[in-house]
Amino acid sequence: MNPDIQRERKNASFDVEKLTHILDGGPEKTRRRREIELLVINDPDFQHEDLNFLSRSERYDRAVKKSAQMIQKLREYNIADPEEIYCYKSCVHCGRPEPLDLHLGMFLPTLLNQATPEQMDRFFMPAWNLEIIGTYAQTEIGHGTHLRGLETTATYDPATQEFVLNSPTISSIKWWPGGLGKTSNHAIVLAQLHSQGRCHGLHAFIVPIRSMSTHEPLPGITVGDIGPKFGFDEVDNGYLKLKNVRIPRENMLMKYAKVEPDGSYVKPPSAKLTYGTMVFIRSMIVGQSARTLAKACIIAIRYSTVRHQSEIRPGEPEPQILDYQTQQYKLFPLLATAYAFHFVGQYMNNTYHRITGDISQGDFSELPELHALSAGLKAFTTWTASSGIEACRMSCGGHGYSRSSALPDIYVTFTPTCTYEGENTVMMLQTARYLLKSYRQVQAGQRLNGIVSYLNDAEQQRVQARPVSARPTVVNINDLASLVEVYKLRAAKLVELAAKSIQQELQRRKSQEDAWNNSAIDLVRASDAHCHYVVVKLFLAKLGEIGDTAVHSVLSTLALLYALHGIAQNSGDFLQAALLTVPQVLQATVRLKELLSQLRPNAVALVDAFDYRDQMLNSSLGRYDGNVYEHMFDWARSSPLNCTEVHESYHKYLKPLQSKL
């Protein structure tokens, strides 16, 4: 054990194990998670060579092999709980994407949420047993987030009671779905439904794309891999072109919307039900943001503990780089963010399951709020985590650039979340649409419930001729509850400003659409402030559940750091709305520096509490024992370029060149 990192752990002021239990949701969940991890770590089938030294085809091959073995072992161990499956899967693939991701994460959940009982009997068990291997084909080469613009058609033929699917243009070719290129034999295809001469919008259809016996593409199907990407080397992201592909009427997912045998169309109770799978994935991405940012923080903070660099005082030994205030300022707010997002992820998971339970009972009242919240938080957390991972990489200096650090792979694997399942700016605008609708409802005299209920207070102030900007600024910088109130008022103010911007555009005789586009920057700012408020509020709420004094103390410090850092980064908003004064912002900056010093002794313990084993991090810089340089050297020596002392290129190209001199 490196003595620096050993000393850090001895200086911690709290019990790391107790905090791990809080993150996992209880001691029993921690025990079971570790048990599942050891099943994978001790399994010889899952020991493999370093993927960094393999070609893309080899990486895909290894990933398919491991995925197949994973399914067999899940059956062998009788692991059926979705959370436990996710845990086992994450261990097998060390958090990397893999070819069955969309089968497990989108194809099966879509069947569960949108299939009729008859369709479940027909499709679910074959899919569960991997006779059917599915993907979710939504995005097209010409359209992604703008779902109404998707061009793939499914035209109902009442004479044969079949749908005829076509890709009518080059831009309508399905593009990007994981597992589509080579792995899947079925796809849930989102297409524009045409029946009785009318288009009824986007609906989901189960489409066989490859033979169940030979795996060859079926007639009318053109399918393949889209080629190398920025990352995702193990995944066969694919394309799909459809030409007069016929499927039975029963292959349309008809739990909500239906097409009768004669072609008549039955509307769903809510149009948003079609997008239920996306809401599910967006909710999961919030938790993924927390886990991925946590990994980056573990690596950067452990490395900063054992790395010594330069001098603070001339002539004295080189200090740990974690002792530099600038390094703390880079990393500790990100650590606080990882914790904040973890608790938000827990909230989103619970909220999703609660509301989907209500939907199954016929109550759709909270679906719009879930849709808006999942869209906004997906964007807010992924933007923050993506930039945070890169900040962690750069905080490790040159060694962070090496793939042995794992940080480059973490970044290229995570950053696509900013664009898949909804491009982030568009997601923020979707949330803004809900916020503006809620704001107008309050203006019309309605009382709001749920996460947007804070708009009731803002409207009451307006009616009393006391706008938000005129509130007295009584704020205790050291009190998180007081800061939550300030974040709430900031969000309300920015929603109000966005609404006024649209109103001003309309008064200039702009159309509703132009007014919206010309106010888009304000709308995104409003959504960002709304999401920021939700995160701070949920962090405070989580503190109320923690009984252990020492753990409560360190998490309170993290929560306060998160809130004050947000004020420092967005001080203009708080000053413009007169929610804080200039002296208060300066006071917040001073307090923020003090919090960095307070957290310094607990930094390693706080990342240890995430409880990621070395096998999961796969990082020479982030190892638990802190022996960074030994592992970096061993990793470098294992490079295939070092298999021979003299590379063949020398004899082929360089030596002949030298002989001519």
Side-chain angles (χ1 to χ4, degrees):
M1 186 73 68
N2 179 286
D4 286 326
I5 208 163
Q6 198 169 25
R7 184 175 62 253
E8 297 286 338
R9 292 188 173 114
K10 286 181 180 178
N11 290 337
S13 66
F14 66 95
D15 186 332
V16 171
E17 187 75 359
K18 289 181 179 178
L19 181 49
T20 299
H21 294 163
I22 291 168
L23 292 170
D24 283 332
E28 177 56 29
K29 288 198 173 182
T30 298
R31 184 201 64 77
R32 179 57 176 157
R33 172 181 56 77
R34 289 172 176 168
E35 184 177 68
I36 291 171
E37 288 172 356
L38 287 175
L39 285 176
V40 177
I41 290 168
N42 295 330
D43 192 328
D45 286 338
F46 296 128
Q47 311 304 313
H48 58 79
E49 63 269 60
D50 194 314
L51 295 176
N52 288 303
F53 300 130
L54 302 180
S55 70
R56 179 166 178 253
S57 181
E58 289 171 330
R59 289 173 76 149
Y60 169 71
D61 181 85
R62 301 302 195 280
V64 173
K65 179 182 178 182
K66 287 169 67 178
S67 294
Q69 291 172 327
M70 175 186 76
I71 296 298
Q72 291 174 344
K73 299 194 187 259
L74 285 170
R75 294 171 182 167
E76 179 185 331
Y77 297 134
N78 198 28
I79 297 175
D81 178 80
E83 287 188 14
E84 294 191 355
I85 291 174
Y86 182 84
C87 177
Y88 190 90
K89 177 177 171 299
S90 296
C91 296
V92 169
H93 293 280
C94 297
R96 294 178 184 270
E98 53 99 1
L100 292 183
D101 272 348
L102 265 68
H103 176 79
L104 297 170
M106 296 191 79
F107 190 84
L108 289 173
T110 302
L111 291 178
L112 284 168
N113 292 327
Q114 297 187 40
T116 64
E118 295 76 19
Q119 290 173 322
M120 286 290 289
D121 290 341
R122 185 172 156 211
F123 292 111
F124 188 81
M125 286 314 297
W128 181 255
N129 292 326
L130 253 66
E131 297 162 32
I132 289 175
I133 302 175
T135 186
Y136 190 85
Q138 174 177 291
T139 301
E140 297 172 358
I141 196 170
H143 284 94
T145 304
H146 180 54
L147 299 182
R148 290 192 300 277
L150 296 178
E151 300 175 84
T152 303
T153 59
T155 305
Y156 184 64
D157 180 357
T160 60
Q161 294 195 22
E162 293 175 315
F163 290 101
V164 185
L165 282 88
N166 276 288
S167 306
T169 63
I170 185 71
S171 55
S172 68
I173 295 171
K174 294 295 182 184
W175 199 269
W176 278 116
L180 175 61
K182 296 294 176 183
T183 309
S184 300
N185 55 30
H186 281 67
I188 289 176
V189 175
L190 268 71
Q192 303 290 351
L193 167 61
H194 293 262
S195 184
Q196 295 183 338
R198 293 183 59 195
C199 178
H200 298 285
L202 212 58
H203 290 73
F205 302 84
I206 302 174
V207 182
I209 57 175
R210 290 181 180 270
S211 165
M212 298 279 279
S213 56
T214 67
H215 207 61
E216 292 287 337
L218 294 170
I221 299 288
T222 303
V223 64
D225 177 79
I226 66 170
K229 293 87 57 181
F230 190 36
F232 274 59
D233 289 327
E234 297 85 13
V235 180
D236 54 325
N237 297 86
Y239 59 78
L240 173 65
K241 190 174 186 295
L242 303 155
K243 185 176 181 181
N244 295 324
V245 175
R246 288 181 170 266
I247 60 172
R249 182 181 70 90
E250 293 78 14
N251 278 34
M252 173 183 163
L253 289 174
M254 291 197 276
K255 183 175 182 178
Y256 300 112
K258 294 182 177 66
V259 171
E260 302 291 0
D262 65 354
S264 56
Y265 177 71
V266 180
K267 287 183 178 181
S270 169
K272 287 185 170 62
L273 288 168
T274 306
Y275 313 133
T277 301
M278 288 185 299
V279 172
F280 168 67
I281 295 297
R282 288 169 190 164
S283 298
M284 285 193 65
I285 287 173
V286 175
Q288 184 186 353
S289 298
R291 288 186 292 274
T292 310
L293 183 57
K295 288 181 182 180
C297 287
I298 294 169
I299 295 167
I301 287 174
R302 284 180 179 168
Y303 175 69
S304 298
T305 300
V306 300
R307 177 75 170 184
H308 292 252
Q309 189 77 37
S310 301
E311 296 176 335
I312 292 179
R313 297 177 184 85
E316 291 190 2
E318 292 181 294
Q320 298 160 278
I321 59 175
L322 199 58
D323 286 338
Y324 288 100
Q325 188 185 68
T326 50
Q327 190 78 343
Q328 296 169 15
Y329 189 68
K330 290 174 189 175
L331 297 178
F332 292 176
L334 292 174
L335 177 60
T337 301
Y339 271 90
F341 287 0
H342 186 93
F343 299 136
V344 174
Q346 289 178 338
Y347 171 84
M348 284 302 298
N349 184 53
N350 295 335
T351 301
Y352 174 82
H353 286 102
R354 176 178 60 78
I355 293 177
T356 50
D358 293 342
I359 289 170
S360 66
Q361 300 298 316
D363 179 1
F364 304 98
S365 60
E366 291 190 76
L367 183 57
E369 180 173 312
L370 176 63
H371 183 269
L373 188 60
S374 65
L377 285 175
K378 180 264 183 188
F380 183 82
T381 58
T382 56
W383 265 333
T384 304
S386 183
S387 62
I389 294 162
E390 178 65 354
C392 286
R393 185 191 68 79
M394 288 191 288
S395 76
C396 293
H399 291 329
Y401 189 67
S402 169
R403 290 176 79 165
S404 75
S405 74
L407 290 165
D409 281 336
I410 289 173
Y411 180 76
V412 299
T413 297
F414 181 79
T415 200
T417 59
C418 295
T419 47
Y420 69 54
E421 300 311 316
E423 192 277 329
N424 277 358
T425 301
V426 178
M427 292 297 93
M428 282 297 198
L429 289 170
Q430 285 188 11
T431 301
R433 197 172 294 278
Y434 179 76
L435 292 173
L436 265 288
K437 181 180 178 182
S438 300
Y439 177 81
R440 287 166 184 151
Q441 286 174 332
V442 170
Q443 283 190 312
Q446 296 183 40
R447 294 287 297 175
L448 299 176
N449 296 314
I451 209 76
V452 291
S453 59
Y454 65 88
L455 294 175
N456 296 326
D457 300 334
E459 178 60 15
Q460 186 175 357
Q461 292 162 5
R462 188 189 68 80
V463 170
Q464 296 172 348
R466 293 178 62 226
V468 170
S469 58
R471 286 178 62 92
T473 53
V474 181
V475 179
N476 181 353
I477 292 298
N478 291 300
D479 178 48
L480 190 58
S482 184
L483 296 179
V484 170
E485 182 71 11
V486 172
Y487 271 89
K488 180 181 82 170
L489 295 173
R490 171 198 176 216
K493 183 61 178 177
L494 288 179
V495 172
E496 179 188 345
L497 289 175
K500 286 181 177 178
S501 174
I502 290 177
Q503 192 60 39
Q504 289 166 0
E505 292 290 330
L506 291 172
Q507 288 171 357
R508 296 189 186 105
R509 299 190 177 182
K510 298 288 178 92
S511 67
Q512 193 78 30
E513 293 78 12
D514 286 339
W516 181 268
N517 186 45
N518 291 345
S519 304
I521 295 172
D522 300 307
L523 291 163
V524 171
R525 285 181 64 212
S527 291
D528 184 85
H530 169 75
C531 293
H532 212 159
Y533 158 63
V534 170
V535 175
V536 176
K537 178 183 178 182
L538 291 176
F539 208 154
L540 174 62
K542 188 66 182 182
L543 292 177
E545 302 174 12
I546 297 168
D548 184 271
T549 304
V551 172
H552 187 280
S553 175
V554 73
L555 284 183
S556 296
T557 304
L558 276 178
L560 189 57
L561 175 64
Y562 178 78
L564 292 179
H565 185 260
I567 287 173
Q569 298 296 100
N570 301 278
S571 57
D573 288 348
F574 296 97
L575 292 170
Q576 184 182 6
L579 298 171
L580 294 174
T581 63
V582 171
Q584 285 174 324
V585 171
L586 294 174
Q587 182 189 355
T589 304
V590 171
R591 183 68 179 122
L592 194 156
K593 293 176 184 177
E594 294 171 354
L595 293 173
L596 296 178
S597 296
Q598 285 180 31
L599 283 169
R600 171 64 185 85
N602 282 313
V604 169
L606 282 166
V607 297
D608 284 352
F610 289 121
D611 203 27
Y612 280 101
R613 298 173 187 268
D614 287 342
Q615 294 89 340
M616 296 288 291
L617 283 177
N618 199 27
S619 169
S620 58
L621 301 190
R623 291 187 59 89
Y624 186 83
D625 62 15
N627 295 322
V628 168
Y629 304 131
E630 295 88 341
H631 291 289
M632 286 182 67
F633 186 53
D634 288 343
W635 185 86
R637 294 184 70 186
S638 68
S639 169
L641 280 177
N642 294 323
C643 289
T644 59
E645 291 296 336
V646 180
H647 194 264
E648 60 183 353
S649 61
Y650 171 78
H651 297 288
K652 288 194 292 185
Y653 309 118
L654 297 178
K655 189 173 183 179
L657 194 67
Q658 293 168 346
S659 65
K660 294 176 183 178
L661 295 178

